[in-house]
Amino acid sequence: QVQLEESGGGLVQAGESLRLSCVASGSIASINAMAWYRQPPGKQRELVAVIPSGGTIEYSDSVKGRFTISRDNAKNTVYLQMNSLKPEDTAVYICMADVVRDTTWGPRGGRYWGQGTQVSVSS
């Protein structure tokens, strides 16, 4: 199987920065897209940023110019650098990866999710 583990969340004041990390582990042959989602209190999950294995990085309009997504393929890790944080950025941040696994029956693709890390921004 595949596990995703996030880290780096916490409580900060408005205007400060945080860097989130998410490491994928398990029987991984390759990883296609990796992404960060978030779920604010009482709201639905929303896409924050996605980074394909090749191609264009995309951001939600609400974080453009403030957040930067990046990845280290050698470490199966995706990062989210969050600058100029606002109270409305408060949410559980969840990592996603589209993974191709090595199995006895050959490669198998699947989408995997982390448990999430809490980011709280005070005004």
Side-chain angles (χ1 to χ4, degrees):
Q1 282 295 339
V2 174
Q3 296 80 39
L4 301 183
E5 183 172 1
E6 302 99 334
S7 61
L11 173 62
V12 297
Q13 293 189 333
E16 294 185 340
S17 298
L18 279 175
R19 187 189 193 215
L20 305 183
S21 300
C22 172
V23 180
S25 61
S27 57
I28 297 170
S30 62
I31 302 177
N32 295 320
M34 302 186 83
W36 287 97
Y37 285 73
R38 68 185 181 186
Q39 187 161 13
K43 296 184 179 181
Q44 291 188 336
R45 186 177 297 186
E46 60 184 18
L47 177 65
V48 175
V50 57
I51 181 167
S53 58
T56 305
I57 293 172
E58 296 184 4
Y59 296 94
S60 70
D61 288 342
S62 61
V63 307
K64 278 181 184 176
R66 300 187 299 123
F67 290 11
T68 302
I69 190 171
S70 60
R71 61 192 286 175
D72 184 333
N73 293 326
K75 297 181 179 179
N76 290 336
T77 300
V78 62
Y79 305 97
L80 186 67
Q81 177 66 44
M82 305 185 295
N83 298 330
S84 302
L85 282 161
K86 304 176 181 180
E88 51 263 44
D89 294 318
T90 294
V92 176
Y93 283 71
I94 305 157
C95 174
M96 183 280 292
D98 286 332
V99 175
V100 178
R101 294 187 297 118
D102 289 318
T103 75
T104 304
W105 304 276
R108 292 290 186 268
R111 175 162 290 185
Y112 296 86
W113 299 87
Q115 292 296 312
T117 185
Q118 178 68 48
V119 172
S120 299
V121 185
S122 62
S123 57

